Amino acid sequence: MALVQLEPRPQRKPPWLRVKMPAGETYFELKRLVREHQLHTVCEEAMCPNIGECWNQRSATFMLLGETCTRSCGFCAVHTGRPQPIDEDEPERVADAIATLNLRYAVITSVNRDDVLNGGSHIFAATIRAVRRRLPDCHVEVLIPDFKGNWEALAEVVEARPDVLNHNLESIARLYDRVRPQAKYERSLELIARTKQLDPSMTTKSGIMVGLGEEMDELLDTLRDLHRSQCDLVTIGQYLRPSPKHLPVVRYYPPEDFDELKRQGEAMGFAHVASGPLVRSSYHAADQASAAQEKGRS
């Protein structure tokens, strides 16, 4: 008789990870605006726990290139499958929404589009330029995929001059086959390094999740790899399992562990480290970039 290996019972979320249900007039106004402009946000697609707080502060992360991703990362709630053709009018609609909201800081990301050679880099570039035309004082941060190592696609985005270029490393090297099976740890580090080669003045950023089975010394090695790749800003947050189909949470890190990671990262020389249980790539992104600028001037 074959034995069936059962997964251990899920751990209960600790109190520091509990958040209120999203509500508020501004939250629902932004939700309506996203629907009217036929836009996608990573806040909704990735089931971000901070959606209520961020949307009520008129801060949202817009997701380009549709709502279907060509990759199947073990942590991500975004739908995987065959995407629709790229919508060439999307940059103007995103810029319209950002202008309507009168944002001072906009974060723009996308699904992976491995079905096209440039990974949709031209849509990133067009969106940056459209936002600049509509709202010249708005700062733009892009959170880009790895474009499968197409460095011409990276150059196209860098040439459009975002204020911050973000590419998440997500996890430690040992876990990459499980966490990001269609990505490469070294390729993601190379993307950040190449960004600085293309434009040494551009602020670079990356993010790491914890709780997937990594050890503290592996996290510190990963931070050192990012620093050697000339990454300026780092975010570190707790992985939360979107559904039973996704990778299980191995451990919930207490707040003091995040404090220690922040201390160690700052000691390595990063311009700014945002580290906490609910920290995500675009959480308080404007504050992170501003803190880095202040440190650069000091």
Side-chain angles (χ1 to χ4, degrees), residues 34-106:
V34 167
R35 297 292 174 271
E36 285 181 357
H37 286 262
Q38 298 178 352
L39 301 173
H40 306 289
T41 68
V42 75
C43 319
E44 294 176 296
E45 301 294 339
M47 302 168 60
C48 180
N50 304 312
I51 186 170
E53 177 185 356
C54 291
W55 282 27
N56 277 308
Q57 295 176 354
R58 290 190 174 273
S59 175
T61 301
F62 296 93
M63 192 167 75
L64 304 176
L65 303 171
E67 58 186 350
T68 302
C69 187
T70 56
R71 298 192 186 180
S72 53
C73 296
F75 63 90
C76 186
V78 176
H79 175 67
T80 300
R82 179 179 295 178
Q84 295 293 317
I86 289 177
D87 180 358
E88 302 293 337
D89 296 328
E90 188 175 43
E92 293 298 333
R93 293 204 311 277
V94 172
D96 285 345
I98 289 171
T100 300
L101 286 167
N102 196 28
L103 298 182
R104 65 186 180 94
Y105 199 98

Side-chain angles (χ1 to χ4, degrees), residues 62-65 68-71 73 75 86 108-125 142-155 157-158 165-170 176 180 182-184 187-192 195 205:
F62 296 93
M63 192 167 75
L64 304 176
L65 303 171
T68 302
C69 187
T70 56
R71 298 192 186 180
C73 296
F75 63 90
I86 289 177
I108 299 165
T109 188
S110 77
V111 294
N112 281 277
R113 291 298 300 259
D114 295 336
D115 57 314
V116 294
L117 183 62
N118 70 356
S121 59
H122 67 294
I123 297 295
F124 270 104
V142 292
L143 171 54
I144 64 172
D146 62 17
F147 300 129
K148 293 188 74 175
N150 183 336
W151 305 129
E152 291 181 1
L154 172 64
V157 178
V158 172
L165 190 139
N166 184 359
H167 174 68
N168 282 340
L169 198 57
E170 303 291 10
Y176 245 58
R180 301 184 70 197
Q182 294 118 317
K184 295 180 180 179
R187 185 164 67 197
S188 286
L189 290 173
E190 184 178 357
L191 183 148
I192 295 167
T195 298
K205 180 177 175 180

Side-chain angles (χ1 to χ4, degrees), residues 22-292:
E25 183 179 344
T26 305
Y27 167 79
F28 288 111
E29 179 189 352
L30 184 51
K31 193 177 185 70
R32 175 185 57 78
L33 182 68
V34 167
R35 297 292 174 271
E36 285 181 357
H37 286 262
Q38 298 178 352
L39 301 173
H40 306 289
T41 68
V42 75
C43 319
E44 294 176 296
E45 301 294 339
M47 302 168 60
C48 180
N50 304 312
I51 186 170
E53 177 185 356
C54 291
W55 282 27
N56 277 308
Q57 295 176 354
R58 290 190 174 273
S59 175
T61 301
F62 296 93
M63 192 167 75
L64 304 176
L65 303 171
E67 58 186 350
T68 302
C69 187
T70 56
R71 298 192 186 180
S72 53
C73 296
F75 63 90
C76 186
V78 176
H79 175 67
T80 300
R82 179 179 295 178
Q84 295 293 317
I86 289 177
D87 180 358
E88 302 293 337
D89 296 328
E90 188 175 43
E92 293 298 333
R93 293 204 311 277
V94 172
D96 285 345
I98 289 171
T100 300
L101 286 167
N102 196 28
L103 298 182
R104 65 186 180 94
Y105 199 98
V107 182
I108 299 165
T109 188
S110 77
V111 294
N112 281 277
R113 291 298 300 259
D114 295 336
D115 57 314
V116 294
L117 183 62
N118 70 356
S121 59
H122 67 294
I123 297 295
F124 270 104
T127 304
I128 296 165
R129 291 193 292 266
V131 173
R132 296 270 191 251
R133 287 195 302 270
R134 293 295 307 277
L135 207 61
D137 293 333
C138 179
H139 293 271
V140 179
E141 175 176 323
V142 292
L143 171 54
I144 64 172
D146 62 17
F147 300 129
K148 293 188 74 175
N150 183 336
W151 305 129
E152 291 181 1
L154 172 64
E156 185 173 23
V157 178
V158 172
E159 189 177 344
R161 298 287 303 157
D163 294 282
V164 176
L165 190 139
N166 184 359
H167 174 68
N168 282 340
L169 198 57
E170 303 291 10
S171 188
I172 63 166
R174 177 174 59 83
L175 297 177
Y176 245 58
D177 287 346
R178 293 181 62 227
V179 177
R180 301 184 70 197
Q182 294 118 317
K184 295 180 180 179
Y185 181 84
E186 294 79 10
R187 185 164 67 197
S188 286
L189 290 173
E190 184 178 357
L191 183 148
I192 295 167
R194 281 181 177 267
T195 298
K196 282 292 191 183
Q197 293 169 10
L198 290 164
D199 185 349
S201 69
M202 185 161 292
T203 301
T204 52
K205 180 177 175 180
S206 191
I208 308 169
M209 299 175 295
V210 300
L212 286 159
E214 69 289 323
E215 300 293 337
M216 184 63 78
D217 61 340
E218 292 177 304
L219 285 171
L220 295 178
D221 285 342
T222 301
L223 287 174
R224 292 185 190 100
D225 287 342
L226 282 170
H227 189 256
R228 279 192 291 267
S229 299
Q230 299 189 67
C231 181
D232 299 310
L233 311 176
V234 176
T235 58
I236 307 170
Q238 173 70 52
Y239 166 64
L240 299 176
R241 191 182 198 183
S243 81
K245 296 179 181 179
H246 293 83
L247 293 172
V249 176
V250 176
R251 176 180 176 234
Y252 289 113
Y253 282 56
E256 53 267 28
D257 282 0
F258 287 100
D259 293 341
E260 177 63 14
L261 285 166
K262 178 179 176 65
R263 188 189 70 79
Q264 294 269 12
E266 289 177 343
M268 291 177 195
F270 288 101
H272 189 260
V273 179
S275 179
L278 291 173
V279 167
R280 297 296 182 266
S281 294
S282 54
Y283 186 57
H284 293 178
D287 296 336
Q288 296 169 31
S290 178

